Amino acid sequence: MDGTAAAPPALALAPAALGRLMPMHLVLDAGGAIRGAGPTIARILPADAVPGRSFFELFDIRRPRRVASVADLGETTGQRLHLQLAAPPHTPMRGLAVPLDCGGVLLNLSFGITVAEAVRRHDLTGSDFAATDLTVEFLYLVEANSAVLDELHDLTARLQSARMAAEEQAMTDTLTGLRNRRAMDSALARSAGSGRPFALMHVDLDWFKQVNDTFGHAAGDHVLQEVALILLQETRQGDTVARVGGDEFVVILPGVTRPAQVERIARRILSRLAQPIRWNGRDCRVSASIGYSLSVDYPQAEPDRLLSDADLALYASKHAGRGQITAYRPPDGRSAGPGAAGA
Amino acid sequence: MHGLFNRAIQTFLRDTYGVAAWDAIAARAGIAADGFETMLLYDDAATEAVLAAASRHLSRAREELLEDLGNYLVSHPGLVRLRRLLRFGGVSYADFLHSLDELPARARLAVRDLDLPELELTEAGEGRFTLVSRGAFPGCGHVAVGVLRAMADDYGALVLLEHEGVDAGGEERIAIQLLDSRFAAARPFALVAAGG
């Protein structure tokens, strides 16, 4: 000491003051026995630990390796120690040791990143941490973060269901509840892209204009809704039924490869449509013309091609006198010809 | 205004006065009955419209509604998370009061764009404090009074609170007298929530 005023005094702190500054400190004597402890670490250790139990009995030092004595601890010079309670729940801690003149060490401890778990296990409160310690702020932040994340999850879920509802709306024909043209296009593209066979049926109502002209648009709307119901009832769960124009419908039948399968369904539809549809005490009579194409008739299923060919077959049905079912016949003649079915 | 605040007003009105009252207030304020999303930002005019519509529909002064809102935010069982976040402010009610200065910074740690009023606590001794609240929106001091009252219950402290009005600069003053910091048993508070 040269006596200059700038030199800080050597500190001698009473145990209580040390405990307030560092509630998780331990004072070890040269032999490794615990001589003093901050109030928080004292609560965590077994009741008989302070004073007198051996530090190395109560803690496992994981890093640095080969720290087995107080002398070793004194030589760690500022290095972070990784240790854990030797007994369950094996709470992990980190520590810093400084040598004391008496040959022992002062060891300060804290919880690492698993602090939240440690606080719960050992039932610690805000007053178990020094007033300068940021542990409580850390826990606050963890909790605030998870609250915000939950809000964002809820928001995302609501937006997702709103998006699905909007998509559903964009894919639905509002009058009949069937799929619309856009939905049919994407279902057709999916079917063609899947490589699995399917049949495409184009259904066009006969005499619909007469119903509209005679009974009015409300009657026409009612008829379209009834036809939609019939189409749904006479097709299978996985089939796509779409209204693609005023009185035009398209049905996509996945897995169907043979004309007989399509025509069985088509005939059921025609026979249902043969029954008049009641509207306000009146009988509305319509029928339908049907044309279809089969993906197995093409080397590659192109949606536009199958659609226009089903359309050609439909017009053949119209020309053949309505209430007819016609298959598109590819140029090589493999497909079946028109199969008549009475309306 | 931040959606968290608008949503709080909405759930307060709905939980306290019923869905039909909320629907009527929303219609009167010209907003959709679904109301607000917590994580979006809204024009301040929407908040004011809801507060004005609620005040007329319920025939209650805006200040009373705001104080009830503050009380609801802390004491409603569905909002236990906010109560917990406030309890991180300190181990005693006096500690909590002293943490109010940093409340806006704490709020921004959680939600970056959430603007709470700037709060400044001065201690006059013998358990008397003055809290000055600046900004956010006119009347936010009344929300603060409701929050402080409910937090006193939470800590088991006995306090007298009085909103002393607004000065020309928009500063609101709240007089706080802490009569007994251990008046009743505090509601339990674990630093880490059960199951968390």
Side-chain angles (χ1 to χ4, degrees):
Chain A
M1 291 285 137
D2 62 8
T4 56
L11 295 178
L13 287 176
L18 200 57
R20 269 200 296 282
L21 282 170
M22 297 188 287
M24 298 252 303
H25 80 269
L26 293 172
V27 177
L28 310 184
D29 66 19
I34 297 174
R35 289 291 155 215
T40 303
I41 192 69
R43 278 190 50 188
I44 290 171
L45 293 178
D48 66 345
V50 187
R53 288 274 296 270
S54 163
F55 169 78
F56 294 97
E57 221 175 79
L58 294 166
F59 289 87
D60 291 332
I61 297 186
R62 305 181 65 78
R63 273 199 309 271
R65 300 281 177 203
R66 290 187 301 276
V67 172
S69 69
V70 170
D72 294 342
L73 275 178
E75 283 165 14
T76 52
T77 54
Q79 237 185 311
R80 179 187 283 174
L81 306 170
H82 295 259
L83 56 170
Q84 63 177 42
L85 291 180
H90 304 294
T91 305
M93 294 184 199
R94 50 182 59 173
L96 180 68
V98 292
L100 297 173
D101 291 342
C102 63
V105 294
L106 172 65
L107 182 65
N108 195 23
L109 299 172
S110 75
F111 304 109
I113 197 73
T114 55
V115 58
E117 215 178 317
V119 163
R120 192 177 50 233
R121 272 188 197 149
H122 299 290
D123 200 18
L124 302 179
T125 70
S127 43
D128 287 319
F129 295 94
T132 48
D133 193 306
L134 290 178
T135 297
V136 174
E137 279 72 13
F138 177 87
L139 296 175
Y140 160 81
L141 202 51
V142 167
E143 188 154 333
N145 257 328
S146 86
V148 169
L149 259 183
D150 285 353
E151 281 299 332
L152 285 174
H153 272 298
D154 290 352
L155 175 60
T156 310
R158 283 193 294 272
L159 291 179
Q160 170 74 355
S161 70
R163 195 177 68 106
M164 280 163 61
E167 264 175 11
E168 180 68 23
Q169 217 167 27
M171 293 289 200
T172 304
D173 171 51
T174 47
L175 176 65
T176 60
L178 295 179
R179 312 271 79 188
N180 61 15
R181 168 115 223 167
R182 180 211 300 254
M184 187 277 290
D185 282 340
S186 68
L188 185 54
R190 262 200 315 279
S191 292
S194 74
R196 295 211 303 277
F198 62 94
L200 186 68
M201 189 158 77
H202 201 158
V203 181
D204 189 85
L205 294 188
D206 302 327
W207 323 117
F208 179 69
K209 187 176 178 328
Q210 283 80 345
V211 169
N212 256 342
D213 291 349
T214 312
F215 301 114
H217 285 291
D221 286 353
H222 177 70
V223 165
L224 289 172
Q225 286 166 338
E226 290 298 307
V227 170
L229 201 62
I230 289 170
L231 289 174
L232 287 175
Q233 285 168 350
E234 299 305 335
T235 52
R236 304 160 304 170
Q237 188 107 53
D239 297 339
T240 298
V241 182
R243 178 173 169 235
V244 298
D247 59 350
E248 277 180 67
F249 302 84
V250 165
V251 183
I252 302 169
L253 304 155
V256 171
T257 53
R258 289 179 296 112
Q261 291 172 282
V262 187
E263 290 183 17
R264 193 165 57 239
I265 295 170
R267 265 196 299 276
R268 283 206 309 261
I269 292 169
L270 291 185
S271 82
R272 292 281 305 275
L273 288 177
Q275 309 295 319
I277 294 168
R278 296 288 287 179
W279 184 79
N280 274 3
R282 316 279 201 98
D283 280 347
C284 306
R285 291 178 184 277
V286 291
S287 173
S289 297
I290 296 177
Y292 69 92
S293 51
L294 293 167
S295 69
V296 289
D297 286 337
Y298 301 81
Q300 182 143 23
E302 291 164 41
D304 287 350
R305 179 84 198 280
L306 266 93
L307 208 51
S308 68
D309 287 348
D311 211 40
L312 282 177
L314 168 66
Y315 280 91
S317 287
K318 288 267 181 201
H319 280 295
R322 310 192 184 211
Q324 304 289 312
I325 302 162
T326 308
Y328 172 71
R329 198 196 319 231
D332 69 1
R334 271 192 296 132
S335 182
Chain B
M1 194 73 70
H2 200 283
L4 267 176
F5 189 78
N6 289 345
R7 179 83 180 185
I9 297 176
Q10 175 184 343
T11 52
F12 158 66
L13 292 171
R14 203 195 49 209
D15 290 352
T16 312
Y17 299 102
V19 175
W22 164 253
D23 288 349
I25 291 164
R28 205 187 255 249
I31 62 160
D34 313 353
F36 303 102
E37 285 293 348
T38 46
M39 288 293 143
L40 302 179
L41 294 176
Y42 295 90
D43 197 287
D44 286 359
T47 313
E48 281 308 322
V50 169
L51 287 174
S55 177
R56 279 200 305 277
H57 184 80
L58 303 166
S59 304
R60 296 204 55 201
R62 187 175 185 280
E63 294 74 26
E64 285 173 25
L65 282 177
L66 289 174
E67 186 175 330
D68 286 355
L69 166 66
N71 184 65
Y72 164 89
L73 288 178
V74 177
S75 55
H76 193 269
L79 291 161
V80 65
R81 290 192 111 146
L82 182 64
R83 175 186 86 85
R84 282 190 48 80
L85 291 176
L86 287 168
R87 277 291 286 266
F88 278 100
V91 293
S92 69
Y93 191 67
D95 251 12
F96 164 74
L97 288 177
H98 284 291
S99 78
L100 291 175
D101 288 4
E102 58 187 35
L103 191 64
R106 275 178 181 273
R108 274 195 297 273
L109 264 185
V111 184
R112 196 174 40 189
D113 48 8
L114 181 60
D115 267 325
L116 291 190
E118 295 300 323
L119 298 169
E120 193 181 324
L121 187 83
T122 48
E123 190 167 4
E126 294 174 350
R128 280 207 300 275
F129 302 84
T130 302
L131 185 68
V132 175
S133 148
R134 261 179 237 101
F137 71 100
C140 54
H142 293 280
V143 181
V145 170
V147 168
L148 292 177
R149 207 186 295 288
M151 285 306 288
D153 280 350
D154 215 69
Y155 278 103
L158 182 63
V159 289
L160 289 177
L161 292 158
E162 194 180 351
H163 192 286
E164 295 186 321
V166 194
D167 71 11
E171 283 191 357
E172 300 179 49
R173 297 174 72 82
I174 299 159
I176 304 165
Q177 186 161 14
L178 179 54
L179 297 171
D180 186 350
S181 63
R182 286 268 173 258
F183 176 70
R187 278 167 76 181
F189 174 68
L191 278 182
V192 179

